[in-house]
Amino acid sequence: MKIMSKKYLKILLSIVLVLFFSFVFEKGYFFLFRNANISTDFSFDRLFIFMILSVFIVLHIFCPINKIWDFIYRKRYYIGILMFVFIVANGYHGSSVYKYNYVIQPNYSIDSNAPFFSYYKEIRSDEFLVDTPGILSQIIYNQDLDAINDAIMAREDTTVYMFPQLPTKTISVISNPKLIGFLFLPMEQAFSFYWYILFFICFFATFEVSMLITKGKKIFSALGACLLTFSPAFLWWNQLSIFASGFSAILFLHLFFESKNKWKKLFYSILTGYAGSVYVMTLYPAWLIPFGWMFFGLVIWQLIEYKNQLKWNDLIYLIPVIGTMAIILLPGFIGSETTIKLMGETVYPGSRVMTGGYGWNLLFNYLIAPFYTIFKNIGNACEASQFIGLYPIPIFIGVWEIYINKKVKRTDFLLNILVILAILLSIWNYIDISIFSKISLLTISTPDRSQLVVNVICILIILRLIGCYEKNKNINLSIKYIITGIVSIILPVIGLFIVDNTYPDYVDMRIAICSLVLYIPLFFLLIINSKKTNKVFSLILISISIFNLATVQPISKGLSVMYEKPIAKEVRKIAESDKEAKWVVVNSGNTSIFPQNYILANGVRVINSTNYYPNFELWEKFDPDRSDDFVYNRYAHVAIDLTSEDTHFELLQVDLFKAFININEIDKLEATYFVSSDNLTLYSNDKYEFKKLYFEDNLGIYKLEINKSGAE
């Protein structure tokens, strides 16, 4: 009876604690984002997630902690699959598409699509303004998922293998795992798959490679997975494909070396080739090259580790590696030959030659990177983001450990490789080195992008140091630890001065204090590298990483904001009977770059949707001698204004230009429907008539009718 009473008491107490923690999380959520524009509505989804988190915490109170984490480790892949299925089934995603709620007919609010955790990030315009509308266009307009989408730019030859990279029913689609879900899932679930699949692949790949680096230390490997997958840098940039593919390739290579069976070797060689194709299709040389050197270093390490097991006949397995990459990549490259040529000849991004010599100051941005979402807006948080690699401490300690290794005649090839790479890439940010840039191919990268790689390598060095070089000593007040404490204070203070010089209007006393309170202990714990404190060091950094995950990207459910606005319904209604008609957005004032891709996402052909490459065929009609080539020969968002003046072009930003089209030349656009915030009927004349079809909340649809007698 007493046993039963204790059992029921434990259950009751567990329920009370779950409800208590859920309440605390809810209150903490609103306190954390008290300065942000978040929805104050009750969310069952948020409550459910908080309750799951609370149950997890309560389990630590009533169950042996070691058994919990041993179970999680043994069943990690099953747990990961279960979590992923739950997320996809509910249609959760981290897109900032809710921005459209405030720029497209804002008086018609779609509250059901508001983020229930965090808030949309305006700086993520490449995602919600370009990528997401392009995907929805491919699903709604190009329902057969052909490799050509003539809705984008309203061209009949817009291939979507690469620029843009959209879901297609071709072999090339598997080179971007995010897109595979669109082949078999409903749209909103496929979008959730698209958003989160790389998080799971990246987390498990980085965890397994971290296990190799730390020689099987689980908590340190979890630290590596969190620091890499949930880094401020890639959460802001949303570029997990590089890590998911790169670390997967290293893992498959390791499994290849471990395998004795020839069929397993063949299997892992094919997977390595597949991972390589995914890496290539990231299609961003500014990161592919410097990160490529890092992964090449890891490949060299694995080759050295298994040099005694390698045989010359193992070279035959390069055939399936190269063959797999060729089968997946060649169709896309061949189909995009014209696009690649046009992109290479643009003014922006075009070709570039970089020789280094700047960007070193950005290496210290990790000191403020966790605070961008909770204190104040830094502006371009993507450019200011960073991996939390504690630069330059890991490099200094790594050099010291290499020196000690040499004294005792011990060699750690991985540490040697990582430290050399970190030093070389770091120097490139400080000094202009033309010869090194050419040899390393860094000429096609940029120092302000490659500097991120230095802190990633620092993370790998940290994992090696705490996994293989931790000291079994007590902390005391000896001169050694006093000096360590002083250094731990001086270095982050110097780093903050550098950051303050880079962002003079951002670092205030509050941010400086929070940064020093956080990083001084971390610097101290890393330098002493004690077996007794490294778990604390790891738990602090894991907590920061999870905080980044929870705050940088919003969590929303569904995509209703994209297709439930009144104008979205009108656009689709017209498209049902006139699918092939061309549309154009003109005279849209302050929202001049938003309606184009918004209506594109609703299944129509839009002339001035994002120009992934220059639309010479169109612009040469207005500029036959290409005198404004510098303006429109680029990747760009395109705004169009009707004018009574001569047609001309104006560059507003490096990726935005405006075309001022003379009213008497609008027939050259070959557009049937015009979307505008202006009353276009006022532009009607003997030659053209704008017939108003719809106007509501400062946005209307007009049909252009050409008076043939007037035109003559």
Side-chain angles (χ1 to χ4, degrees):
M1 188 69 178
K2 288 183 179 181
I3 295 175
M4 290 296 292
S5 298
K6 286 184 179 180
K7 180 180 178 182
Y8 288 128
L9 181 62
K10 185 180 289 188
I11 294 173
L12 179 61
L13 183 57
S14 299
I15 294 172
V16 171
L17 286 173
V18 167
L19 294 175
F20 170 75
F21 283 123
S22 300
F23 174 80
V24 170
F25 286 138
E26 182 77 357
K27 290 296 182 182
Y29 167 75
F30 284 107
F31 176 78
L32 181 65
F33 294 112
R34 63 192 181 280
N35 297 322
N37 182 24
I38 63 171
S39 172
T40 57
D41 295 339
F42 169 79
S43 168
F44 176 79
D45 293 284
R46 184 173 62 243
L47 176 63
F48 186 71
I49 291 173
F50 282 161
M51 290 187 71
I52 292 175
L53 183 58
S54 299
V55 169
F56 181 67
I57 292 173
V58 170
L59 283 174
H60 286 69
I61 298 174
F62 296 105
C63 301
I65 295 176
N66 288 339
K67 287 187 176 181
I68 293 174
W69 287 100
D70 181 64
F71 175 82
I72 290 173
Y73 174 74
R74 287 186 291 104
K75 305 295 183 180
R76 60 191 182 279
Y77 288 107
Y78 295 108
I79 295 171
I81 292 171
L82 186 63
M83 290 175 62
F84 183 65
V85 169
F86 169 77
I87 289 169
V88 171
N90 281 281
Y92 297 150
H93 62 81
S95 171
S96 288
V97 289
Y98 199 63
K99 168 68 177 178
Y100 285 111
N101 198 49
Y102 300 97
V103 294
I104 302 293
Q105 297 182 318
N107 292 321
Y108 289 86
S109 182
I110 309 297
D111 297 331
S112 62
N113 204 192
F116 64 84
F117 204 94
S118 192
Y119 56 95
Y120 74 87
K121 305 303 189 293
E122 193 160 351
I123 194 61
R124 290 295 301 123
S125 57
D126 280 352
E127 176 270 310
F128 68 80
L129 192 60
V130 182
D131 297 343
T132 297
I135 287 171
L136 296 183
S137 168
Q138 182 75 345
I139 301 302
I140 296 174
Y141 176 83
N142 195 11
Q143 295 181 5
D144 292 332
L145 300 183
D146 294 330
I148 294 178
N149 182 327
D150 59 5
I152 297 171
M153 300 164 58
R155 291 176 58 105
E156 296 179 356
D157 59 352
T158 304
T159 60
V160 294
Y161 293 110
M162 294 184 178
F163 307 107
Q165 207 171 3
L166 302 179
T168 62
K169 290 181 179 178
T170 66
I171 187 67
S172 296
V173 75
I174 66 174
S175 67
N176 190 339
K178 298 191 299 182
L179 301 177
I180 295 174
F182 291 103
L183 300 179
F184 62 92
L185 289 172
M187 184 171 66
E188 293 191 346
Q189 280 63 45
F191 190 71
S192 181
F193 182 102
Y194 164 85
W195 198 267
Y196 287 114
I197 183 63
L198 290 183
F199 277 89
F200 285 86
I201 295 174
C202 185
F203 183 87
F204 286 114
T206 52
F207 176 82
E208 299 299 346
V209 174
S210 296
M211 286 285 281
L212 302 178
I213 293 172
T214 63
K215 295 189 176 180
K217 307 289 176 58
K218 296 171 188 174
I219 188 169
F220 301 153
S221 301
L223 169 63
C226 289
L227 283 177
L228 295 169
T229 307
F230 307 147
S231 66
F234 274 6
L235 285 173
W236 281 105
W237 283 107
N238 200 31
Q239 277 286 358
L240 286 171
S241 179
I242 289 176
F243 281 0
S245 56
F247 283 104
S248 292
I250 300 302
L251 176 60
F252 296 144
L253 181 66
H254 169 76
L255 293 172
F256 171 86
F257 288 143
E258 283 286 306
S259 300
K260 307 300 181 186
N261 183 284
K262 63 180 181 180
W263 294 110
K264 285 186 177 181
K265 282 183 174 289
L266 176 62
F267 176 66
Y268 289 126
S269 62
I270 292 173
L271 287 180
T272 302
Y274 172 63
S277 68
V278 175
Y279 186 83
V280 170
M281 286 301 285
T282 302
L283 297 176
Y284 191 49
W287 278 335
L288 287 178
I289 299 301
F291 276 118
W293 282 111
M294 181 189 77
F295 289 120
F296 180 70
L298 294 178
V299 169
I300 296 299
W301 165 54
Q302 283 294 290
L303 288 171
I304 293 172
E305 288 282 301
Y306 290 92
K307 62 182 179 181
N308 294 328
Q309 297 174 223
L310 293 176
K311 300 176 182 178
W312 284 107
N313 58 8
D314 284 333
L315 290 174
I316 197 172
Y317 290 103
L318 285 174
I319 295 175
V321 173
I322 297 171
T324 300
M325 294 184 68
I327 291 170
I328 295 173
L329 295 177
L330 282 179
F333 276 92
I334 293 171
S336 302
E337 182 181 1
T338 303
T339 304
I340 294 170
K341 182 181 178 182
L342 284 170
M343 291 285 288
E345 295 174 350
T346 57
V347 176
Y348 171 83
S351 57
R352 55 193 172 197
V353 177
M354 294 291 175
T355 55
Y358 68 93
W360 63 270
N361 54 314
L362 303 178
L363 288 163
F364 300 90
N365 280 4
Y366 64 86
L367 291 166
I368 59 171
F371 309 127
Y372 296 158
T373 58
I374 58 172
F375 286 142
K376 58 182 181 180
N377 189 354
I378 195 170
N380 194 332
C382 299
E383 298 286 352
S385 61
Q386 186 55 269
F387 290 89
I388 303 177
L390 305 184
Y391 174 89
I393 292 294
I395 299 175
F396 293 156
I397 301 175
V399 170
W400 175 254
E401 293 296 351
I402 290 172
Y403 169 73
I404 297 298
N405 283 343
K406 188 174 181 181
K407 286 183 67 176
V408 299
K409 296 182 179 180
R410 181 176 58 197
T411 303
D412 185 339
F413 288 107
L414 176 60
L415 186 63
N416 295 349
I417 291 168
L418 293 175
V419 169
I420 290 171
L421 283 172
I423 291 173
L424 289 175
L425 289 173
S426 183
I427 289 174
W428 196 63
N429 287 115
Y430 287 89
I431 304 173
D432 187 318
I433 316 175
S434 178
I435 296 177
F436 172 71
S437 302
K438 292 177 181 178
I439 294 173
S440 64
L441 301 180
L442 287 172
T443 49
I444 59 177
S445 180
T446 61
D448 55 350
R449 291 289 182 269
S450 69
Q451 52 85 22
L452 290 173
V453 185
V454 177
N455 262 309
V456 173
I457 297 173
C458 282
I459 290 173
L460 301 184
I461 294 173
I462 289 172
L463 296 178
R464 191 63 169 184
L465 292 174
I466 63 177
C468 304
Y469 293 88
E470 58 183 355
K471 312 297 189 295
N472 194 14
K473 294 181 180 180
N474 293 321
I475 301 174
N476 52 52
L477 293 177
S478 67
I479 188 68
K480 173 184 175 181
Y481 290 105
I482 292 173
I483 293 174
T484 299
I486 294 171
V487 171
S488 301
I489 295 171
I490 292 174
L491 285 177
V493 168
I494 293 173
L496 275 177
F497 273 115
I498 294 170
V499 172
D500 185 50
N501 188 58
T502 307
Y503 307 100
D505 297 326
Y506 186 76
V507 180
D508 55 23
M509 185 60 67
R510 175 182 54 175
I511 292 174
I513 291 173
C514 288
S515 180
L516 293 174
V517 168
L518 179 62
Y519 285 102
I520 288 174
L522 286 172
F523 275 48
F524 180 80
L525 292 174
L526 177 59
I527 294 171
I528 64 171
N529 195 14
S530 171
K531 189 174 183 179
K532 296 182 178 180
T533 58
N534 276 346
K535 285 186 178 180
V536 175
F537 171 80
S538 299
L539 290 174
I540 293 173
L541 284 173
I542 288 173
S543 299
I544 296 171
S545 301
I546 293 174
F547 176 80
N548 292 328
L549 176 66
T551 59
V552 172
Q553 295 186 355
I555 305 179
S556 301
K557 185 175 184 177
L559 293 163
S560 54
V561 73
M562 297 300 295
Y563 49 78
E564 287 189 7
K565 292 276 186 174
I567 192 167
K569 295 177 181 179
E570 286 294 327
V571 168
R572 293 198 305 277
K573 181 179 176 182
I574 294 171
E576 287 178 3
S577 58
D578 200 1
K579 181 181 179 181
E580 299 305 317
K582 294 182 180 180
W583 293 60
V584 65
V585 177
V586 300
N587 297 35
S588 294
N590 294 330
T591 63
S592 61
I593 63 172
F594 291 101
Q596 292 92 310
N597 285 0
Y598 185 80
I599 64 172
L600 176 77
N602 280 278
V604 293
R605 306 176 68 196
V606 185
I607 292 169
N608 58 333
S609 57
T610 300
N611 281 204
Y612 291 89
Y613 48 87
N615 193 352
F616 291 127
E617 184 179 332
L618 174 63
W619 303 128
E620 286 178 0
K621 294 178 182 179
F622 302 96
D623 183 29
D625 60 355
R626 290 178 64 167
S627 58
D628 284 322
D629 180 84
F630 178 81
V631 176
Y632 53 75
N633 184 12
R634 63 185 64 237
Y635 166 95
H637 305 290
V638 182
I640 295 179
D641 275 5
L642 303 182
T643 180
S644 58
E645 300 175 1
D646 291 341
T647 296
H648 61 283
F649 299 83
E650 182 179 328
L651 185 64
L652 304 180
Q653 297 175 15
V654 68
D655 61 351
L656 168 63
F657 71 84
K658 179 174 284 190
F660 294 87
I661 306 296
N662 181 274
I663 187 63
N664 292 311
E665 292 187 293
I666 58 174
D667 58 313
K668 294 179 181 179
L669 291 171
E670 299 182 6
T672 303
Y673 298 99
F674 287 65
V675 174
S676 179
S677 57
D678 271 3
N679 181 3
L680 294 188
T681 60
L682 299 177
Y683 290 88
S684 298
N685 55 31
D686 292 340
K687 188 176 182 181
Y688 309 112
E689 180 183 357
F690 284 100
K691 183 179 179 182
K692 183 168 70 174
L693 303 180
Y694 166 84
F695 196 94
E696 197 171 6
D697 198 7
N698 202 37
L699 204 56
I701 301 173
Y702 299 83
K703 185 174 183 179
L704 178 67
E705 296 183 351
I706 299 176
N707 186 334
K708 294 184 179 179
S709 60
E712 294 172 357

